[in-house]
Amino acid sequence: MDKNIGNTRRDFIKSTGKAGLAAGLSMTVLPALAEKYAGQEKVEGWIEDVPYEQQPLGYSYAALEPAIDAMTMEIHYGKHAAAYAKNLAEAVKAEGVDIQKEKLVSLLGRISKFSPKMRNNGGGHYNHEFFWKSMRAAAENNQPTGELAATIIRDFGSFDAFKTQFTDAGKNRFGSGWAWLVLNKEGKLVVGSTPNQDNPLMDISELKGTPLLGLDVWEHAYYLKYQNRRPDYITAWWKLVNWEVVSKRFGK
Ligand code: MN
């Protein structure tokens, strides 16, 4: 169940090991380098750089308890999200996308030119990769700091007003979908939601901009623990938001 712990670090060592050795670095130095760059690798550039393949979760299935239970995480990551990634791989192959040349974020920007399978699974894969990295173990009084906090106050009036607006976007999204905090073209923070697996990067989306934070409000994200009580899931989820990651996305 905890198979994902440490995978990021192992992958880092695997992917950089050759170059590291070529540069004369010994294997004893590499783990230290991996520690040093692990944080950066997880955050920097990754709004643009979400790969086409499912990535290691980065924490255990139980890490988000009690807000999100381990069983939900196991099924959500291991079945639902894994299926989006698998179906996306089929779609890019069938529809002639050169994944070496085109980034997923660019594909999403012209998603109207592709099949519903590409739209559902391209969005599904991207949104989940984005979602996993937006969370970490629960913290009390969990709030953003610095420039992001100041900009939230500028654009929403207060952190609580933002939270209410975002919570309402999630609560009121009929059926399945996502709630988002987005930086729009005018440099303003806005809150909204998208249906199904659509996201604000898609050309077909009503809500457009750079996503900073997303919340999965599909029943599969909460049903085992919360059944029909989506608002309770959202209330608990606020403690999990990794504001450092959101700030770094904003800072770019
Ligand atoms: Mn989901």
Side-chain angles (χ1 to χ4, degrees):
M1 216 159 87
D2 290 350
K3 70 183 165 69
N4 284 295
I5 295 176
N7 275 10
T8 304
R9 185 174 138 168
R10 272 199 300 279
D11 288 357
F12 180 92
I13 293 167
K14 206 163 63 188
S15 62
T16 56
K18 226 169 143 185
L21 287 174
L25 293 168
S26 76
M27 288 309 288
T28 54
V29 173
L30 283 169
L33 278 176
E35 286 296 344
K36 187 176 172 193
Y37 291 108
Q40 288 188 21
E41 199 200 6
K42 266 188 232 160
V43 175
E44 275 195 11
W46 71 266
I47 286 179
E48 292 84 3
D49 291 339
V50 170
Y52 284 87
E53 299 79 25
Q54 188 176 38
Q55 301 301 299
L57 187 54
Y59 41 77
S60 75
Y61 293 135
L64 307 179
E65 288 199 340
I68 301 178
D69 60 289
M71 175 76 83
T72 295
M73 282 303 293
E74 185 171 357
I75 296 169
H76 198 179
Y77 175 85
K79 306 288 183 198
H80 293 282
Y84 295 125
K86 178 179 165 285
N87 292 330
L88 173 62
E90 288 173 10
V92 293
K93 209 170 166 194
E95 296 175 44
V97 176
D98 185 347
I99 62 168
Q100 305 303 325
K101 289 209 177 112
E102 181 165 23
K103 287 182 173 181
L104 179 54
V105 72
S106 154
L107 178 73
L108 295 175
R110 57 187 195 102
I111 201 71
S112 60
K113 300 191 168 55
F114 295 92
S115 68
K117 179 171 179 172
M118 190 80 87
R119 174 175 172 175
N120 291 333
N121 294 288
H125 170 64
Y126 186 96
N127 294 348
H128 286 86
E129 289 294 314
F130 192 85
F131 184 52
W132 310 135
K133 292 184 169 67
S134 305
M135 299 184 287
R136 46 129 178 77
E140 294 302 325
N141 302 315
N142 192 24
Q143 292 200 22
T145 55
E147 206 185 332
L148 175 61
T151 312
I152 285 175
I153 291 166
R154 183 195 73 187
D155 292 343
F156 298 98
S158 67
F159 178 67
D160 283 344
F162 152 72
K163 228 170 120 175
T164 301
Q165 209 176 311
F166 188 102
T167 299
D168 287 347
K171 276 201 301 209
N172 299 332
R173 165 49 56 191
F174 185 76
S176 299
W178 291 74
W180 300 98
L181 171 65
V182 164
L183 186 65
N184 72 12
K185 271 206 315 254
E186 289 76 40
K188 193 172 183 272
L189 295 174
V190 291
V191 154
S193 71
T194 53
N196 304 312
Q197 294 295 355
D198 287 357
N199 71 36
L201 295 166
M202 291 180 171
D203 58 351
I204 44 80
S205 179
E206 239 174 83
L207 176 71
K208 280 200 187 68
T210 303
L212 302 179
L213 177 64
L215 169 61
D216 190 343
V217 296
W218 281 59
E219 282 188 345
H220 70 221
Y222 62 86
Y223 200 85
L224 290 180
K225 183 178 167 91
Y226 296 95
Q227 293 83 47
N228 61 319
R229 301 186 310 279
R230 188 191 285 183
D232 292 354
Y233 156 68
I234 299 176
T235 300
W237 173 80
W238 281 114
K239 290 183 184 149
L240 303 178
V241 174
N242 190 333
W243 285 111
E244 283 176 23
V245 167
V246 179
S247 278
K248 283 176 185 169
R249 289 169 182 163
F250 175 70
K252 275 182 77 81

